[in-house]
Amino acid sequence: MGDFVVGGILLVLLGAALTYIFRAKKKGVKCIGCPAAGNCKSCHKDH
């Protein structure tokens, strides 16, 4: 029973993370999770 609860919590967290990423990409955010609102130094590197 405990395994189902833990699995359910993990699925909810995974779903929330994927939803956050999808919405951020849809808005055009370049650095997801960046504390500087997309102005990270790593975002401006040319790959």
Side-chain angles (χ1 to χ4, degrees):
M1 180 69 180
D3 292 336
F4 291 115
V5 172
V6 172
I9 291 171
L10 289 175
L11 284 175
V12 168
L13 290 174
L14 180 63
L18 291 174
T19 301
Y20 172 76
I21 291 170
F22 177 74
R23 287 183 180 171
K25 283 294 185 181
K26 192 173 181 182
K27 289 180 183 178
V29 176
K30 292 182 181 177
C31 289
I32 296 175
C34 182
N39 294 323
C40 299
K41 292 178 183 177
S42 63
C43 290
H44 301 292
K45 291 180 183 177
D46 293 327
H47 296 287

